[in-house]
Amino acid sequence: FNVAEAVELMEAFEKPRPVVLRTNTLKTRRRELAATLIQRGINLDPLSKWSKVGLVVYESKVPVGATPEYLAGHYMLQSASSFLP
């Protein structure tokens, strides 16, 4: 690495990673889960076109890891990189 690349890399490490949810398709569908979480005040979108189960959370009025859906196992928190094919 040259100095500029090293600085750019270190700055990238300091940026917060997005909160990503993986839908448990044994218990619910992504569309149904998204609708329920939106009603709870969670602003989210599908992760991308290559993932059929991921949701990206932009902001939330409630703790994402403490919703009734989370506690019932309808989704889990994961890094977006774990969705790569």
Side-chain angles (χ1 to χ4, degrees):
F1 291 104
N2 64 38
V3 174
E5 289 175 328
V7 169
E8 185 179 347
L9 179 65
M10 287 185 270
E11 288 173 351
F13 285 147
E14 293 183 11
K15 292 181 181 178
R17 292 180 293 151
V19 175
V20 180
L21 311 177
R22 178 184 289 269
T23 306
N24 180 350
T25 56
L26 297 175
K27 295 193 174 199
T28 190
R29 296 179 187 264
R30 181 173 71 174
R31 182 180 301 140
E32 296 166 2
L33 177 62
T36 302
L37 294 177
I38 288 169
Q39 290 177 353
R40 293 198 183 281
I42 299 174
N43 180 10
L44 51 80
D45 279 322
L47 177 60
S48 67
K49 293 181 180 180
W50 48 265
S51 172
K52 296 180 181 177
V53 296
L55 294 166
V56 179
V57 176
Y58 298 111
E59 62 181 312
S60 177
K61 296 178 182 176
V62 298
V64 178
T67 65
E69 293 76 26
Y70 177 79
L71 297 173
H74 290 213
Y75 67 89
M76 59 203 86
L77 299 168
Q78 286 192 327
S79 170
S81 63
S82 67
F83 291 85
L84 291 174

